[in-house]
Amino acid sequence: MTLIRYNGKYISTEFEHFYMNVSSDKLMDPLIHKHQYSTLLNTGKECKEQDKFLLVLVYSATYKFDGRQLIRNTFGSISHFDNRIIEYVFVLGQTNNDTLQGDIEKESVIYRDIIQGNFIDSYKNLTYKRVFSLFWVNKFCKDAIFVIKIDDDITINIPFLIHYLNNKIIKNKTNVLECFTVFGSRPYREPRSKWYTPLSDYRFPTFPPFLQDRPPLCQSVLSDECTKRHVLCLFLWLEDVYGSGFIPWILNIQIVQPNCYLKDVQRSFNENPCHLFYINNLKNASYSHIMWKTIETHNKFKLNHHCKCW
């Protein structure tokens, strides 16, 4: 078994050899490999008509109306900052509940910020949601400079993030994928586990490095490369392993973890907001409101200029 160094760590390349030589008869998934996606709901806006600096893809469950509204009322209300244009899009799958679907369609008409793919919205289908969102970016918003995928328990420190991204452009360090990186993670083989992965789905003892389920940040050009490579890679329902592990690994995309990346909101109310993202693990809406007010206050008085992260 060959070992190579990746970010200072030795990693097996057995996985890579296997996934780089998959026979075509195993690449038959209609969505992942054939890209038979259709957009059931679209934002109604041509993202590419304007010079988008940042596209934020929010993965949202169909029933989470309050969560989407919370984002619209906090950081999602900032569409322009420091002469940069920001676009927010909620990514949903299908529901079999006609009443729920009707409510989503009404919401979509009002806010024009929802896209919906032709797959059932479920935890096991998050890989479909990942590839669908890339499919949508490449078709409707490929001119955005940066793309971020978040879950609806994240609050983005918009002032700090825009400053961070501007700095990346100045230093010409944009062609990377950024997030908290996991090394040496093992598949769960216990059938009762939420993340049960049988040998028939993944036969190796460890996963390649992947970005744990936190906001991955990339340049939009990488989304195009990733979309093309999906058609040549075996499906795995574990979205973070597949989308931010398998594909970047095969494409040899650099993965880095920024300083001051992520912090829990509960530990951040009374301090200078010097992190790019804040996570609301308890799903308490009031915590997200408080965190956003903290960010707004510090930005108003330029207090975040004291942050030293890069």
Side-chain angles (χ1 to χ4, degrees), residues 100-145:
L100 179 58
Q101 180 62 29
D103 290 340
I104 292 170
E105 291 173 6
K106 292 175 184 176
E107 180 187 11
S108 177
V109 169
I110 294 171
Y111 296 105
R112 301 175 66 207
D113 59 2
I114 292 174
I115 61 174
Q116 187 177 38
N118 58 329
F119 51 89
I120 294 298
D121 199 300
S122 69
Y123 185 72
K124 286 274 189 174
N125 281 348
L126 281 175
T127 293
Y128 288 143
K129 184 173 283 191
R130 164 81 69 126
V131 181
F132 167 71
S133 62
L134 294 176
F135 167 84
W136 184 88
V137 169
N138 290 328
K139 187 172 183 179
F140 295 103
C141 205
K142 66 187 305 179
D143 293 330
I145 298 175

Side-chain angles (χ1 to χ4, degrees), residues 15-237:
F15 157 86
E16 183 178 7
H17 292 311
F18 176 77
Y19 277 87
M20 291 289 279
N21 296 281
V22 179
S23 60
S24 59
D25 64 311
K26 295 183 179 180
L27 302 173
M28 301 299 290
D29 187 283
L31 298 181
I32 298 296
H33 304 126
K34 304 301 180 182
H35 282 186
Q36 294 176 2
Y37 282 107
S38 61
T39 305
L40 306 180
L41 288 178
N42 209 339
T43 61
K45 297 177 287 187
E46 283 292 324
C47 182
K48 58 189 176 185
E49 289 180 355
Q50 301 184 54
D51 295 325
K52 293 292 188 297
F53 180 71
L54 173 63
L55 172 64
V56 180
L57 300 171
V58 185
Y59 285 19
S60 177
T62 52
Y63 60 89
K64 289 192 174 181
F65 296 94
D66 291 342
R68 293 191 285 275
Q69 197 59 43
L70 174 63
I71 290 175
R72 294 185 187 109
N73 292 338
T74 54
F75 66 88
S77 64
I78 308 300
S79 59
H80 293 76
F81 188 87
D82 196 21
N83 296 318
R84 299 297 197 181
I85 300 176
I86 308 166
E87 180 90 8
Y88 305 89
V89 174
F90 295 97
V91 186
L92 280 63
Q94 286 180 277
T95 174
N96 291 323
N97 185 315
D98 292 340
T99 301
L100 179 58
Q101 180 62 29
D103 290 340
I104 292 170
E105 291 173 6
K106 292 175 184 176
E107 180 187 11
S108 177
V109 169
I110 294 171
Y111 296 105
R112 301 175 66 207
D113 59 2
I114 292 174
I115 61 174
Q116 187 177 38
N118 58 329
F119 51 89
I120 294 298
D121 199 300
S122 69
Y123 185 72
K124 286 274 189 174
N125 281 348
L126 281 175
T127 293
Y128 288 143
K129 184 173 283 191
R130 164 81 69 126
V131 181
F132 167 71
S133 62
L134 294 176
F135 167 84
W136 184 88
V137 169
N138 290 328
K139 187 172 183 179
F140 295 103
C141 205
K142 66 187 305 179
D143 293 330
I145 298 175
F146 292 102
V147 179
I148 291 177
K149 169 256 175 183
I150 66 169
D151 293 329
D152 56 10
D153 57 358
I154 294 292
T155 296
I156 302 178
N157 187 346
I158 293 294
F160 201 41
L161 178 61
I162 297 301
H163 176 59
Y164 173 74
L165 296 179
N166 283 335
N167 192 58
K168 287 179 66 66
I169 290 178
I170 292 171
K171 294 182 178 180
N172 195 28
K173 294 183 178 180
T174 56
N175 197 31
V176 295
L177 189 61
E178 301 189 14
C179 194
F180 177 73
T181 309
V182 177
F183 291 91
S185 178
R186 295 179 177 275
Y188 286 84
R189 302 302 190 192
E190 170 54 54
R192 290 175 295 181
S193 170
K194 177 182 179 181
W195 302 282
Y196 171 55
T197 307
L199 287 169
S200 58
D201 286 353
Y202 185 80
R203 71 185 195 185
F204 303 108
T206 59
F207 291 123
F210 66 92
L211 309 185
Q212 196 174 42
D213 191 19
R214 296 295 180 261
L217 163 67
C218 72
Q219 192 180 17
S220 62
V221 66
L222 296 184
S223 68
D224 182 47
E225 295 178 24
C226 290
T227 302
K228 293 174 182 176
R229 182 56 68 174
H230 279 296
V231 301
L232 302 176
C233 188
L234 282 175
F235 172 80
L236 184 68
W237 71 271

Side-chain angles (χ1 to χ4, degrees), residues 171-304:
K171 294 182 178 180
N172 195 28
K173 294 183 178 180
T174 56
N175 197 31
V176 295
L177 189 61
E178 301 189 14
C179 194
F180 177 73
T181 309
V182 177
F183 291 91
S185 178
R186 295 179 177 275
Y188 286 84
R189 302 302 190 192
E190 170 54 54
R192 290 175 295 181
S193 170
K194 177 182 179 181
W195 302 282
Y196 171 55
T197 307
L199 287 169
S200 58
D201 286 353
Y202 185 80
R203 71 185 195 185
F204 303 108
T206 59
F207 291 123
F210 66 92
L211 309 185
Q212 196 174 42
D213 191 19
R214 296 295 180 261
L217 163 67
C218 72
Q219 192 180 17
S220 62
V221 66
L222 296 184
S223 68
D224 182 47
E225 295 178 24
C226 290
T227 302
K228 293 174 182 176
R229 182 56 68 174
H230 279 296
V231 301
L232 302 176
C233 188
L234 282 175
F235 172 80
L236 184 68
W237 71 271
L238 294 167
E239 173 252 342
D240 47 0
V241 177
Y242 182 86
S244 62
F246 285 15
I247 304 303
W249 178 251
I250 291 174
L251 285 172
N252 197 29
I253 295 173
Q254 182 184 5
I255 300 176
V256 299
Q257 180 178 336
N259 296 324
C260 302
Y261 195 69
L262 181 74
K263 194 171 183 179
D264 191 288
V265 295
Q266 285 183 282
R267 298 164 50 202
S268 310
F269 294 148
N270 299 314
E271 63 182 35
N272 195 4
C274 287
H275 284 72
L276 297 171
F277 306 99
Y278 291 89
I279 185 167
N280 188 350
N281 285 309
L282 296 181
K283 319 295 184 186
N284 187 321
S286 64
Y287 289 171
S288 295
H289 277 291
I290 295 171
M291 191 66 243
W292 178 243
K293 288 298 181 184
T294 301
I295 292 170
E296 283 188 314
T297 299
H298 281 73
N299 179 64
K300 179 179 179 181
F301 295 103
K302 309 297 182 183
L303 298 178
N304 56 359

